[in-house]
Amino acid sequence: MRDTRAALLLQAETLVRRRGYAGFSYADLAETVGIRKASIHHHFATKSDLAHALVAAYDARYDAALAGIRADEPDAIGRIAAYGALYLGGVEAGLGCLCAVLAIEGEALPASLRADIVGFFEKHIAWLEGVLAEGIAAGCVRASVEPGPTARMVIAALEGALLMERLLAGPAGFRGTLTALCDGLRAAGSVPTGVSSHRIDTI
Amino acid sequence: MRDTRAALLLQAETLVRRRGYAGFSYADLAETVGIRKASIHHHFATKSDLAHALVAAYDARYDAALAGIRADEPDAIGRIAAYGALYLGGVEAGLGCLCAVLAIEGEALPASLRADIVGFFEKHIAWLEGVLAEGIAAGCVRASVEPGPTARMVIAALEGALLMERLLAGPAGFRGTLTALCDGLRAAGSVPTGVSSHRIDTI
DNA sequence: GTTGTTCTACCAATTAGTCGGTAGATTTCC
DNA sequence: GGAAATCTACCGACTAATTGGTAGAACAAC
């Protein structure tokens, strides 16, 4: 049995992450999946329905990854390094972050989709804020770090690095940024931890 | 006298920065400028010609701003804060960075345009690397900072913050990220400097 | 009167989305 | 268990609108 809906979601996601939301068409998607254009409408009535489903699936995958990192990595800096490694997967595959791509085209997008994206980012900011606060309490993160603004700065740096290094220096460039980022957060006495092996499942 | 070419560049830039390259059309641009669609082709034969001119003008404006900051701000952290304030202008106006927008749609863009964008980012990385190296030598930037990777991290954080905070917390969110970024670079003994008043001219 | 600018009027291609219909399962009901 | 009804997945053939781009005439300015 062939799960067409899943194939559509998978291929649509890579198309959006490669070329943007306005940059791919139902015709493109139909061709890569090997189905007729009209049949896509059977699964996703409109393009924005498809986009919603895309964000929901992406968000769910990240939820799982975030929970996994929290469970596997005891150290705050290790958790942030592992979180950054999720983005590294995108650089390696030549794919931007789905939500960053959609955020950039924000103005031209349906408002409900924008709300989904805001929710995605705010969830990640809250997660990082918690990680940083715990890290400060445990003494592995610099005491002068403010968890709120720094959480925003961390995710901004990773989103920005994914955006840039995909075109510039690739994975090597991204790893440099991630290391510089972690080094700036670590408390003076704390020992660096290695790069984690966390991966976002699909793609 | 009415400089149509300049008006086209100005309006096209805001359209791209709001909706993306694939997200605006010659019809949109014609309407905002108050000209017929065919007349645009007289000034910019193809859409990618227009995009090239857009990047060239944007790049030139940043060149001037970078030189101004270097001349006016003696301190490395002050220079980076001033550089970040350029991006703040985008957040306030609700506009993304032109090159970030184009970078995201990279795969769907003409290759020559991609090269322009790579050049833009590399120039800024080199500028920041110089600023950081001088700052370390002067003692206002943490000695453990590595100028190369950290320069990439700084621009990534600013690009990412512009991307995100345009949708999330606006200028206040961006300022928080900028402060957290600068705080992470400053040497322990160094005194914080205020936010500069540097602005990118047009828009 | 020539040069630069803008216009009207068009073009072929592509866009998202609709239409009526079909083959094959699955369910319902006697 | 077998007929009838319903549902799922897909298709070819559309549509109206929009896409970037072209040809040639009108108009302006020096």
Side-chain angles (χ1 to χ4, degrees), chain A residues 62-76 78-80 82-83 86 123 126-135 196 198:
Chain A
Y62 262 94
D63 275 354
L66 259 42
I69 291 171
R70 239 185 185 290
D72 297 352
E73 299 280 344
D75 171 69
R79 283 173 177 173
I80 287 170
Y83 179 71
L86 299 178
K123 186 194 293 181
W127 186 85
L128 281 167
E129 199 172 334
V131 167
L132 286 169
E134 284 184 38
S196 104
H198 273 277

Side-chain angles (χ1 to χ4, degrees), chain A residues 88-114:
Chain A
L88 177 60
V91 183
E92 286 168 341
L95 301 173
C97 168
L98 178 70
C99 290
V101 171
L102 294 174
I104 279 230
E105 294 173 79
E107 197 117 338
L109 259 45
S112 59
L113 195 51
R114 240 175 304 170

Side-chain angles (χ1 to χ4, degrees), chain B residues 165-187:
Chain B
E165 303 297 358
R166 189 159 68 107
L167 284 188
L168 301 183
F174 186 91
R175 282 199 199 91
T177 288
L178 182 52
T179 303
L181 182 64
C182 290
D183 286 351
L185 296 173
R186 212 185 324 268

Side-chain angles (χ1 to χ4, degrees), chain B residues 40-135:
Chain B
I40 303 177
H41 286 280
H42 173 72
H43 298 275
F44 303 100
T46 70
K47 204 184 175 184
S48 65
D49 286 342
L50 172 58
H52 269 103
L54 246 29
V55 174
Y58 195 75
D59 190 53
R61 250 158 51 217
Y62 263 95
D63 274 355
L66 259 44
I69 291 171
R70 238 184 187 291
D72 297 353
E73 299 280 343
D75 171 69
I77 303 289
R79 284 174 177 172
I80 287 170
Y83 179 70
L86 299 178
Y87 288 72
L88 177 59
V91 183
E92 287 169 340
L95 302 172
C97 168
L98 178 70
C99 290
V101 170
L102 294 173
I104 281 229
E105 293 173 81
E107 198 118 336
L109 260 43
S112 58
L113 195 50
R114 238 175 304 170
D116 289 355
I117 297 160
V118 168
F120 175 88
F121 285 127
E122 282 179 344
K123 185 193 293 181
H124 286 227
I125 290 169
W127 185 85
L128 281 166
E129 198 171 336
V131 166
L132 286 168
E134 284 183 38

Side-chain angles (χ1 to χ4, degrees), chain A residues 135-194:
Chain A
I136 294 164
C140 57
V141 173
R142 254 180 36 235
S144 58
V145 161
E146 290 181 277
T150 304
R152 302 182 96 87
M153 191 271 278
V154 168
I155 183 167
L158 295 172
E159 287 288 359
L162 172 51
L163 177 114
M164 272 176 39
E165 303 297 359
R166 188 159 68 108
L167 284 188
L168 300 182
F174 185 90
R175 280 197 199 91
T177 287
L178 182 53
T179 303
L181 182 64
C182 291
D183 287 351
L185 297 173
R186 211 183 327 267
S190 186
V191 186
T193 58

